[in-house]
Amino acid sequence: MPARIGVVTFPGTLDDQQALRAAAAVGAEPVALWHKEQDLHQVDAVVLPGGFSYGDYLRAGAIARFSPVMDTIIDAARGGLPVLGICNGFQVLCEAHLLEGAMIRNGDLHFINRDVTLRIENNRTAWTSDYEAGAEAVIPIKNMDGRFVADEHTLDALEAEGRVLARYTANPNGAARDIAGITNAAGNVVGLMPHPEYAIDDLTGPHPGPGTDGLPFFTSILKSLVSA
């Protein structure tokens, strides 16, 4: 029986189908989850995809955090369930206090939609183990509220504890300390602002390639689940 990766759809989610496709591409069973259901249907991991949940009203991710499915996900994540939040999903994880920090408007106040290069700082999580530490990956980014911020004490703690997952090599939005992604202390909850689900094959990935630099996020979790 293949590992089951659930992908949550909130009102306003855009990238759920791409996340489901990425899960299927690595041999997992993709499972669509609806935000009003608290039942996770026995999935082994969860992806909170990108988009504009609830139209980004109030703050990006602030309303989605209170969807019924999040009650179950928050409890399960604290119990060890692997959870990946991509873009809006990262914002939801911050709003749910599963990850520290917050997202504010990009530094130039413009929507950003382009490929960026990341440096993988932490390959010890369930979602990044297939990367070499220090590896660079070209992955698309598309957001308006993608600038990661936190107070200096929190930033120092993230650095000291090795919980900075990835940094931009050329910071596109003014994110604090070039941070593109972070993890919780246990390494099962990961937030990433760029979109690895759009870089899983040469046909639809960044051009000119490599077009598959996002794929290790999904092969990593599959290997973690199979070996568990």
Side-chain angles (χ1 to χ4, degrees), residues 69-84:
V69 72
M70 288 304 300
D71 291 338
T72 310
I73 290 174
I74 291 169
D75 288 343
R78 288 173 176 158
L81 179 75
V83 179
L84 170 63

